[in-house]
Amino acid sequence: MVLARVIGTVVATMKDVNLHGRKLLLLQPIATDRSATGRAVVALDAVGAGVGEHVFFVRGREASFPFLPDEPPTDCCVVGIVDRWDLE
Amino acid sequence: MVLARVIGTVVATMKDVNLHGRKLLLLQPIATDRSATGRAVVALDAVGAGVGEHVFFVRGREASFPFLPDEPPTDCCVVGIVDRWDLE
Amino acid sequence: MVLARVIGTVVATMKDVNLHGRKLLLLQPIATDRSATGRAVVALDAVGAGVGEHVFFVRGREASFPFLPDEPPTDCCVVGIVDRWDLE
Amino acid sequence: MVLARVIGTVVATMKDVNLHGRKLLLLQPIATDRSATGRAVVALDAVGAGVGEHVFFVRGREASFPFLPDEPPTDCCVVGIVDRWDLE
Amino acid sequence: MVLARVIGTVVATMKDVNLHGRKLLLLQPIATDRSATGRAVVALDAVGAGVGEHVFFVRGREASFPFLPDEPPTDCCVVGIVDRWDLE
């Protein structure tokens, strides 16, 4: 999974029917020093994350697992809100 | 998913039979400031997107979900047309 | 999917049994201005593409779909020969 | 799979129910000269790895295989602790 | 698939039970001029490749196909030994 900061939301009236009613978050992947790294992604949310929070998200086929038996066509999903990380 | 701008279309007479009759869009991934980032991709379209529109697309196995029970051999599909995004 | 130019072929006597009898193409991914972008990949071919042609290829799990019920262990497959692309 | 060093752990009270009770490791991918390469990732652990150890991790759909019949929504999992590597 | 040179092996006493008894190769991805490109990966081997040989490997879900009905948690597997490649 990838560490990220929730930097915003996406509004999309026209979208795949299996995305209806689901919040779309904008995530900025971050390094362990909290600096931005790589481009922002659009993700679904399985844990109630809000703008400004640090989270980690899963990519790929597993991104739709939290919504089973629904299978929204997503490849990014927030699966945890980060309290903190501890480095060696 | 990834933000992108629809920058064109691809014409291909010879293609896999499960792609027949499907529109092929050229997408330029973009950052949240709308600048181009990374190379263009060829995608299917599940939402009726047109050239010049901002969209988000899904990659990987989920890109064929909107077409079930058909399973076109695609790894990129537009699943939403973006009205706007709101940054913190 | 990704735009590419077929730049050659790979000869491999020793290969997984499910790749036997299948042509192995070398593809150079390209940008919309036809310049090379990123490293070359080895791909199977579902459409009869030849060296010098412009194609698009699919990556990941879907790359084996064109060969069902066979499931060759491939993550890259040419699924279309490009006649042209039209930019906005 | 990718070589990495375990550089820390992530604490997350709010997370997907299928991640409950699972340790979250922070991994820094490394090159064969042990230098850092690419951004850190958050991973589950199938082998009891500890901070400071060298490991290799699997990405994508296979990252949840070690936990079957559970299917935690993860795309990164440590599947081996490295004793050493031998270069030609 | 990706062209690579087998540059070494990885020794790991502690590993996922489905990796027991399987050789772990270190691969350096290469360009068509045989120069190194990108970071080394750890891969399983379906074809008996040895250190110093040029090979191609598959990534992702398909990397475990050569071992069915076993499903080792791997995302990289050597599926061919390269005799040569021919460029246009």
Side-chain angles (χ1 to χ4, degrees):
Chain A
M1 287 82 80
V2 181
L3 294 174
R5 180 176 166 88
V6 185
I7 60 167
T9 54
V10 174
V11 179
T13 308
M14 295 291 293
K15 54 190 167 188
D16 185 83
V17 62
N18 288 300
L19 292 174
H20 283 178
R22 300 194 193 282
K23 196 171 181 181
L24 297 163
L25 298 179
L26 262 176
L27 308 180
Q28 174 58 58
I30 56 173
T32 51
D33 63 1
R34 297 173 193 254
S35 62
T37 169
R39 69 181 169 205
V41 299
V42 181
L44 295 188
D45 175 21
V47 290
V51 173
E53 287 187 297
H54 288 91
V55 299
F56 58 94
F57 66 96
V58 64
R59 294 173 293 179
R61 184 71 183 82
E62 297 80 358
S64 61
F65 283 14
F67 307 100
L68 286 172
D70 284 356
E71 292 201 293
T74 183
D75 58 8
C76 282
C77 183
V78 175
V79 290
I81 300 176
V82 175
D83 300 329
R84 71 174 193 279
W85 54 84
D86 300 315
L87 295 180
E88 60 181 327
Chain B
M1 286 83 78
V2 181
L3 295 174
R5 181 177 166 86
V6 185
I7 59 167
T9 54
V10 173
V11 179
T13 308
M14 296 291 293
K15 55 190 167 187
D16 185 83
V17 63
N18 287 301
L19 293 174
H20 283 179
R22 300 195 193 280
K23 197 171 180 181
L24 297 163
L25 298 179
L26 262 176
L27 308 181
Q28 174 58 57
I30 56 173
T32 51
D33 64 1
R34 296 172 196 257
S35 62
T37 168
R39 69 181 171 205
V41 299
V42 181
L44 295 188
D45 175 21
V47 290
V51 173
E53 287 188 297
H54 288 92
V55 299
F56 58 92
F57 66 96
V58 65
R59 294 174 292 180
R61 185 71 183 82
E62 297 79 357
S64 61
F65 282 15
F67 306 101
L68 288 172
D70 283 357
E71 292 200 293
T74 183
D75 59 8
C76 282
C77 184
V78 175
V79 290
I81 300 176
V82 175
D83 299 330
R84 71 174 194 278
W85 54 84
D86 301 315
L87 295 180
E88 60 181 327
Chain C
M1 286 83 80
V2 181
L3 295 173
R5 181 177 165 87
V6 184
I7 60 167
T9 53
V10 173
V11 179
T13 307
M14 296 291 293
K15 54 190 167 188
D16 185 83
V17 62
N18 288 301
L19 292 174
H20 283 179
R22 301 194 194 280
K23 198 172 180 180
L24 296 163
L25 298 179
L26 261 177
L27 308 181
Q28 174 58 57
I30 56 173
T32 51
D33 64 0
R34 296 172 196 257
S35 62
T37 169
R39 69 182 170 205
V41 299
V42 180
L44 296 188
D45 175 21
V47 291
V51 173
E53 287 187 298
H54 288 92
V55 299
F56 58 93
F57 66 96
V58 64
R59 295 173 293 180
R61 185 70 183 83
E62 297 79 357
S64 61
F65 282 15
F67 307 100
L68 288 171
D70 284 356
E71 292 200 293
T74 183
D75 59 8
C76 281
C77 183
V78 175
V79 290
I81 300 175
V82 175
D83 299 330
R84 71 172 195 279
W85 53 85
D86 301 315
L87 295 180
E88 60 181 329
Chain D
M1 287 82 81
V2 181
L3 295 174
R5 179 175 166 87
V6 185
I7 60 167
T9 54
V10 174
V11 179
T13 308
M14 295 290 293
K15 55 190 167 188
D16 185 83
V17 63
N18 288 301
L19 292 175
H20 284 178
R22 299 194 194 282
K23 197 172 180 181
L24 296 163
L25 298 179
L26 262 177
L27 308 180
Q28 174 58 58
I30 55 173
T32 52
D33 64 0
R34 297 172 195 254
S35 62
T37 169
R39 69 181 170 205
V41 299
V42 181
L44 295 188
D45 175 21
V47 291
V51 173
E53 286 187 296
H54 288 92
V55 299
F56 58 94
F57 66 97
V58 65
R59 294 173 294 179
R61 184 71 182 82
E62 297 79 358
S64 61
F65 283 14
F67 306 101
L68 286 172
D70 284 357
E71 291 201 293
T74 183
D75 58 8
C76 281
C77 183
V78 175
V79 289
I81 300 175
V82 175
D83 300 329
R84 72 174 193 277
W85 54 84
D86 300 314
L87 297 179
E88 61 182 327
Chain E
M1 286 83 81
V2 181
L3 294 173
R5 180 176 166 86
V6 185
I7 60 168
T9 53
V10 174
V11 179
T13 307
M14 295 291 292
K15 54 190 167 187
D16 185 83
V17 61
N18 287 301
L19 292 174
H20 284 178
R22 299 194 193 282
K23 197 172 181 180
L24 297 163
L25 298 179
L26 262 177
L27 308 181
Q28 173 58 57
I30 56 173
T32 52
D33 64 0
R34 296 172 195 255
S35 62
T37 169
R39 69 181 170 205
V41 299
V42 180
L44 295 188
D45 175 22
V47 291
V51 173
E53 286 187 298
H54 289 92
V55 299
F56 58 93
F57 66 96
V58 64
R59 295 173 293 179
R61 184 71 182 82
E62 297 80 357
S64 61
F65 282 15
F67 306 100
L68 287 172
D70 284 356
E71 291 199 293
T74 183
D75 58 9
C76 281
C77 183
V78 175
V79 289
I81 299 175
V82 175
D83 299 329
R84 71 173 193 279
W85 53 84
D86 300 315
L87 296 179
E88 61 182 328

